[in-house]
């Protein structure tokens, strides 16, 4: 799927509502977001890339954990909603773009892939893994977070579990965290295999 296809797929959804997946007021979404943020192995990141940001509901929480956030989406309307949500945060940018064919010309120490990969064919997920790997090989200590819905839904052949398996096979990074329940799966990989406790020198 390229940027034009993403725009055609998602813009009609955002034309009907700024919140087509009902994030606002959802305990499921709030709980998932809290788990995502709690599982991040570092308190703060220098630069975060969040492709597929939708309306910016996760973005507005990531801003508290980074010196710079770049939020992308294939939908122009989604980017507008995200930009409005991030307006009070000058260190954050929302822009239109769709991975893997498009990719920022900069490096990030955290890449967040949330509810995105199952829209893509297998080869695109492999390409995203290679992009993340190239980010790490550029010399930046890199963390990759993937979080996806596990239950089946129509018109998308890959579910969350399959998408994570493909990503894992090509990332060639150490998996440092995982959360799985009946609804969603969260995996985190990093070039830094040290645990949070190890970084703090905790032995008890």
């Amino acid at each position: 799927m390229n940027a034009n296809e993403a725009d055609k797929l998602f813009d009609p959804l955002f034309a009907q509502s700024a919140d087509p997946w009902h994030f606002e007021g959802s305990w499921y979404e709030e709980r998932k977001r809290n788990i995502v943020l709690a599982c991040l192995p570092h308190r703060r990141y220098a630069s975060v890339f969040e492709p597929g940001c939708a309306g910016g509901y996760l973005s507005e929480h990531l801003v508290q954990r980074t010196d710079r956030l770049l939020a992308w989406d294939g939908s122009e309307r989604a980017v507008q909603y995200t930009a409005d949500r991030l307006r009070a945060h000058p260190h954050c940018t929302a822009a239109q773009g769709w991975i893997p064919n498009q990719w920022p010309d900069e490096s990030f120490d955290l890449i967040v892939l949330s509810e995105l990969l199952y829209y893509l064919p297998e080869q695109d997920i492999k390409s995203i893994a290679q992009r993340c790997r190239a980010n790490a090989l550029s010399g930046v200590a890199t963390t990759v977070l993937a979080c996806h819905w596990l239950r089946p839904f129509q018109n998308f052949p890959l579910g969350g579990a399959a998408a994570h398996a493909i990503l894992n096979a090509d990332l060639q990074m150490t998996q440092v965290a995982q959360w799985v329940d009946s609804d969603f799966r969260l995996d985190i990989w990093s070039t830094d295999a040290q645990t949070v406790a190890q970084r703090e020198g905790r032995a008890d």
Side-chain angles (χ1 to χ4, degrees):
M1 183 186 297
N2 59 37
N4 289 334
E5 291 170 333
D7 193 39
K8 290 177 182 177
L9 175 63
F10 295 113
D11 245 17
L13 294 175
F14 283 102
Q16 298 172 30
S17 169
D19 183 18
W21 291 283
H22 310 295
F23 293 158
E24 198 74 59
S26 164
W27 169 238
Y28 166 77
E29 290 293 341
E30 181 182 346
R31 171 180 174 270
K32 181 181 70 171
R33 184 169 58 244
N34 288 340
I35 292 170
V36 166
L37 295 168
C39 285
L40 288 173
H42 292 275
R43 178 177 294 174
R44 193 164 186 86
Y45 293 86
S47 186
V48 175
F49 179 39
E50 184 199 5
C53 61
Y57 287 91
L58 178 58
S59 312
E60 68 176 344
H61 293 271
L62 289 171
V63 299
Q64 310 299 329
R65 304 285 294 272
T66 183
D67 298 329
R68 166 163 161 68
L69 170 66
L70 176 59
W72 269 19
D73 201 275
S75 164
E76 184 178 358
R77 287 179 181 270
V79 171
Q80 291 170 352
Y81 291 133
T82 300
D84 288 343
R85 194 174 291 277
L86 300 179
R87 194 173 304 279
H89 305 282
H91 64 295
C92 301
T93 302
Q96 189 172 16
W98 194 252
I99 60 175
N101 294 332
Q102 296 172 296
W103 196 271
D105 188 22
E106 56 185 293
S107 297
F108 305 91
D109 53 351
L110 174 62
I111 299 169
V112 176
L113 308 169
S114 179
E115 310 296 356
L116 168 68
L117 297 180
Y118 42 54
Y119 291 110
L120 304 175
E122 180 175 348
Q123 186 52 53
D124 278 3
I125 299 173
K126 288 178 172 289
S127 295
I128 289 167
Q130 291 162 10
R131 293 275 201 177
C132 293
R133 184 76 184 141
N135 185 92
L137 292 174
S138 71
V140 177
T142 302
T143 298
V144 177
L145 182 150
C147 182
H148 291 83
W149 176 251
L150 289 176
R151 298 180 184 274
F153 59 108
Q154 292 183 339
N155 301 324
F156 298 100
L158 285 177
H164 280 223
I166 295 166
L167 187 67
N168 179 65
D170 283 65
L171 268 179
Q172 299 179 38
M173 291 185 192
T174 301
Q175 187 170 3
V176 296
Q178 182 179 82
W179 173 281
V180 184
D181 64 20
S182 298
D183 293 320
F184 74 93
R185 174 171 182 156
L186 164 69
D187 289 294
I188 299 178
W189 299 267
S190 180
T191 55
D192 180 3
Q194 266 197 325
T195 70
V196 176
Q198 286 172 336
R199 279 196 297 274
E200 290 194 353
R202 291 181 175 269
D204 54 358

